[in-house]
Structure formats: structure tokens, C-alpha cells
Amino acid sequence: MSEHKVEMTVNGARLAATTEARTSLGDFLRNEGGWTGVHLGCEHGVCGACTVMVDGRAVRSCLMLAVQADGAEVKTAEGLAAPDGSLHPVQQAMRENHALQCGFCTPGVVMTFAALMERDGTPDEAELLEAMSGHTCRCTGYQGIRKAARALAAGTVGQGGGQ
Amino acid sequence: MKPAPFDYVAPRSVAEACQILAEAGGGATVIAGGQTLMPLLNLRMSQPFILVDITRIEGFTGVARTADGIRVAPATRQADALADATLQAHVPALVQALAHVGHHQTRNRGTIGGSVALGEPAAEMPAVAVALGATIEIASTRGTRRLAARDFYIGPYMTALEPDELVTGITYPDWGPGHRWLFREVARRPGDFALTGMVGALALDGERITRAGLCWFAMGPIPVAMREAEGALVGQTLSGVDPAGLAELALSGTAPFDDSHASAEYRRTVGRRLFEKTLRTALEAREAA
């Protein structure tokens, strides 16, 4: 069982710790960094709740080892809002459209959408919904998420166009 | 849901990786993107002593044209391959299949080599390699060898790869300008493992089919090549092929399984329709996605 010095940037702050090889990135972010916006659900890559951004890409933090993220730039849901507290467009769109049910999977959904926004500028609704397939399970809260995706694609977030 | 303890190494060269695999005597497991392996580790269905991460090996990512076709380095991320202009132009069947491999979030980590080397029976990448006649490059401290994808798969998660060997590249032949590609799968949710699916290519000389490569996935313990249907297609003209007449031939050799998602009978019935539809679309050169 090897121990490794792991160092990464999380939401702009340096996070360094010694950890076992088997520690997942999700556990590392929660336990070593206190970033509890990372929600671990199924822990085998099905539910998508633990999705974070690694070097600008949405990845499942339960399917990546902390050692594999050595030197990486990581962003969690806590890193989306501006320093003054104003929400990221994705967060704003979710809020305006009541795009959540119990909220457990929401940080993962938000990170997936935010990664697409960062990569594409304005992904269309179809792209956002296709990426949503990595989060879909048995909830009934999807209509709000669809509306949020539509608002993001149409660029109507923050214009009081919510529910 | 936490993996059993293991050691972890991230070699920087193929020689170093092969040395580690040779010394581990079968106790090592290679990890690339880990999108299939990590669940197995978390569920403790796989308990290696040492994990060898190959994603930091020099030159292990990227796509290049070679004399033999288009070579994909093993640690190339699925998302990067999906967006690669060379693959889009010369290996369209691979790109079409990639859009169905897992989800956006797993394609950002998952690799081409990892999927090819693992040999999950329902996965798209092994079937693409078999259908297109890809060659798999293998290295160990004993030397290097090349193996046809058709000879690589033995059973579920079982390949011709010895415990001390590493996949160092996959080369897909160029099927030529204007070749027809085929891809279709049925899954419960976009990105889920396929219940049945097929992939292939038809090389053409004018209207005549000069070469055919077709393969099923999720229709047996390994990717099942449709050898008899391939043979029947070669020499025919595009307008002369009867897809419905070939369906039975295409299904010969399949051994679909019963599981919680679908029965073998369902897979066979849907597979037959899927074959007819996909082949017809390719013959008429409409988008077969």
C-alpha cells in the first residue's frame, strides 16, 4: 500500500496532502480539502453526483484516483460563484428554473453544464441534455433542469425569465 | 465501496512500464483512464497489488497517419479522439461509435487503448477494432509483437495479452475515400452499455463492394465478427444487396446472453432488425447513426 504526496489546485487554492494510492479524487477533495460540495453517491461511476472539473473537463471524481490528479487544476461547485457571491450563469439558471428535486446530485449536474459552457461558450440545448445522460437516474426533477438548459442555450439567464 | 489497498506507479516510458509488469509476476493491473477499471476496484471485483498508470508515458497520446493506416496511441482520451479531424476523415466508424461510449463525463477520462485492451463484451471499441481489421501493438520485456484484433479477444475481459504485456498502439486501416460505414446500437439510456449493436465498413470500387468488415457487440462473450455475411457482401453491387436475406447469416456465430437488462431472444430479435436497418442505410449512404 503506497502513500503519495499529492498536490493540486482546488478552486484557486493549493491543496497538498499525503494520501493512500487507493484514495479517490472525490474522497480526497472532501476529506483533505473540506470541499463537501463534491457529493459521492454510487461510487462506481453511474450517478454523476460526484462530477467535478479537472483541467477544465467534467469528470467523475469517484472514477479517478487522487494520485492521478497530481498537478491538476480542479474546480468544484464551491468554485463557480464569483468572489462577491454572484452566481455562475449555470447556478443562476438552475435557481430561476427550480432545477432540482432533493439537490443531492445538483452539484454534479452544475459542474457538467459549467464545463460545457467553459469549453463551448454557449452549448445548445441538445448538447446540454446529451451531457445530462451522465446524471439521469429515477428522479422526477428533470423538467426544471431541461428549462435551465433551454435558458442557458438561449442566453436568457438573469432576465427574470424563470418560473 | 472503497478499493482494497494497492501500490501505485506512473512510469514515464514503455520500457519502465514493461519492467514493472514483468517484475510484478501477474499482480499488476494497468490503468489508463480507469473508467471501467475504477468501478471494478471500488466494488473489489478487482484487487491488484500494484496499479500501473500508463497515462504519463511519453508519446502515449495522439493520432498519426502511418504507412499502415491511422495509428491511435493507447492513452488517447475518447473525447479527444471524437474531436480528431484525422479520425473523422479516415475512420468515421470509430468516431460514430465513440459518441456512444459511456457519457460525456467518462469520455473525458476514458481512453481508446484501455477500452480495446479490457475486452468488455458489450463495449463498442473492441468491436470497432475487429470490424475494421485493426492491428494491436503489444510490448513486454521479451520484445514487441503485433496481433490482429480478430485474434485478440478470447472471452469476457479475456484477451491474448499476457500479464507482463502492454498495448502500445492500435492501427486502423484506411478503408479508402468514399467507403461506407455502419454503426448502430440499442441501449436503455444514451451512454449505457448496449443491449445489442453493430459496427462495420464497406470498401467500394465504384458500385461494387470490394471488402466488408462487420462485427457485433453485446451479442456474445467476445466481439462477434460476421464472417459469413462479410463473404456474401464482397463482389456484390450496392443496389444488388438484400439486407433482409443476409440477416440470418449475420446472426450466425452470435451467442447473446440473458441478463437483467434483456433476454437473449430480445437481443436476437432486435439485432436482426438493427442489422437490416443499418446495412440498408449504409447501402443507400444515408447517415447511419
Side-chain angles (χ1 to χ4, degrees):
Chain A
M1 184 187 79
S2 51
E3 297 247 328
H4 300 264
K5 268 207 182 99
V6 176
E7 188 174 331
M8 59 189 75
T9 308
V10 185
N11 302 326
R14 180 175 164 273
L15 173 58
T18 300
T19 188
E20 284 183 44
R22 62 170 164 165
T23 308
S24 74
L25 174 61
D27 279 333
F28 185 83
L29 292 169
R30 287 178 62 86
N31 302 337
E32 302 295 339
W35 300 106
T36 51
V38 180
H39 290 181
L40 286 151
C42 70
E43 294 191 305
H44 60 282
V46 178
C47 75
C50 70
T51 303
V52 300
M53 256 189 255
V54 175
D55 295 328
R57 291 177 168 198
V59 306
R60 300 206 187 306
S61 63
C62 74
L63 295 188
M64 186 171 181
L65 298 166
V67 282
Q68 290 182 300
D70 189 34
E73 181 106 13
V74 179
K75 199 182 265 193
T76 71
E78 291 97 327
L80 286 180
D84 68 359
S86 57
L87 296 179
H88 184 280
V90 173
Q91 292 171 309
Q92 188 65 33
M94 303 282 283
R95 180 181 176 170
E96 287 174 6
N97 292 283
H98 303 283
L100 55 100
Q101 188 83 320
C102 82
F104 186 83
C105 75
T106 308
V109 176
V110 169
M111 294 316 289
T112 287
F113 283 0
L116 282 175
M117 302 283 291
E118 281 197 14
R119 199 193 60 186
D120 281 1
T122 44
D124 58 32
E125 189 189 347
E127 271 179 278
L128 290 162
L129 293 181
E130 195 271 328
M132 239 333 267
S133 77
H135 299 275
T136 311
C137 65
R138 299 181 298 187
C139 186
T140 58
Y142 294 120
Q143 286 312 315
I145 297 174
R146 281 191 87 114
K147 284 180 192 146
R150 202 167 298 144
L152 283 167
T156 56
V157 179
Q159 299 171 9
Q163 301 294 293
Chain B
M1 292 303 295
K2 308 293 180 194
F6 50 73
D7 288 342
Y8 168 92
V9 281
R12 304 293 156 135
S13 70
V14 171
E16 197 189 334
C18 289
Q19 194 61 43
I20 295 162
L21 290 173
E23 285 168 7
T29 294
V30 170
I31 187 167
Q35 299 303 283
T36 309
L37 181 61
M38 281 292 294
L40 298 176
L41 293 171
N42 289 356
L43 295 160
R44 301 206 174 188
M45 288 159 78
S46 170
Q47 299 197 16
F49 293 115
I50 181 165
L51 217 50
V52 184
D53 186 343
I54 58 159
T55 57
R56 296 187 192 250
I57 292 179
E58 199 69 36
F60 246 35
T61 58
V63 177
R65 297 197 69 182
T66 69
D68 306 322
I70 296 89
R71 183 180 182 276
V72 180
T76 305
R77 306 270 174 212
Q78 291 155 2
D80 293 337
L82 193 54
D84 185 87
T86 304
L87 290 176
Q88 287 168 355
H90 300 281
V91 200
L94 172 64
V95 175
Q96 291 296 326
L98 270 170
H100 295 262
V101 175
H103 303 277
H104 167 79
Q105 299 86 340
T106 59
R107 289 194 293 269
N108 281 335
R109 291 283 307 153
T111 64
I112 305 284
S115 187
V116 164
L118 200 68
E120 149 70 47
E124 295 85 357
M125 288 300 102
V128 172
V130 169
L132 300 184
T135 304
I136 297 168
E137 297 163 31
I138 298 164
S140 70
T141 52
R142 295 172 287 123
T144 59
R145 62 183 179 125
R146 297 166 69 84
L147 202 59
R150 290 196 176 202
D151 301 323
F152 187 72
Y153 296 102
I154 296 164
Y157 297 101
M158 286 185 283
T159 68
L161 212 57
E162 300 290 342
D164 66 339
E165 289 184 319
L166 178 68
V167 171
T168 54
I170 301 122
T171 298
Y172 300 86
D174 193 336
W175 280 65
H179 79 266
R180 302 284 168 93
W181 54 266
L182 303 82
F183 181 86
R184 197 184 290 266
E185 75 172 48
V186 174
R188 289 187 57 164
R189 196 177 59 148
D192 281 1
F193 277 122
L195 301 174
T196 178
M198 66 172 283
V199 58
L202 305 173
L204 300 173
D205 177 9
E207 286 289 288
R208 195 167 295 281
I209 299 168
T210 55
R211 189 175 163 211
L214 301 169
C215 188
W216 294 104
F217 47 99
M219 289 291 271
I222 59 170
V224 180
M226 308 182 205
R227 289 173 208 272
E228 292 179 25
E230 288 168 354
L233 282 165
V234 173
Q236 293 205 52
T237 58
L238 287 171
S239 55
V241 175
D242 168 27
L246 284 176
E248 202 52 45
L249 216 50
L251 283 163
S252 67
T254 60
F257 33 89
D258 287 302
D259 63 17
S260 57
H261 302 295
S263 67
E265 193 43 43
Y266 173 92
R267 288 186 159 91
R268 241 190 307 273
T269 307
V270 175
R272 179 189 312 273
R273 289 283 300 119
L274 180 129
F275 173 84
E276 290 176 25
K277 219 166 160 176
T278 313
L279 181 54
R280 187 164 292 120
T281 306
L283 295 168
E284 295 167 5
R286 292 199 312 265
E287 286 276 288

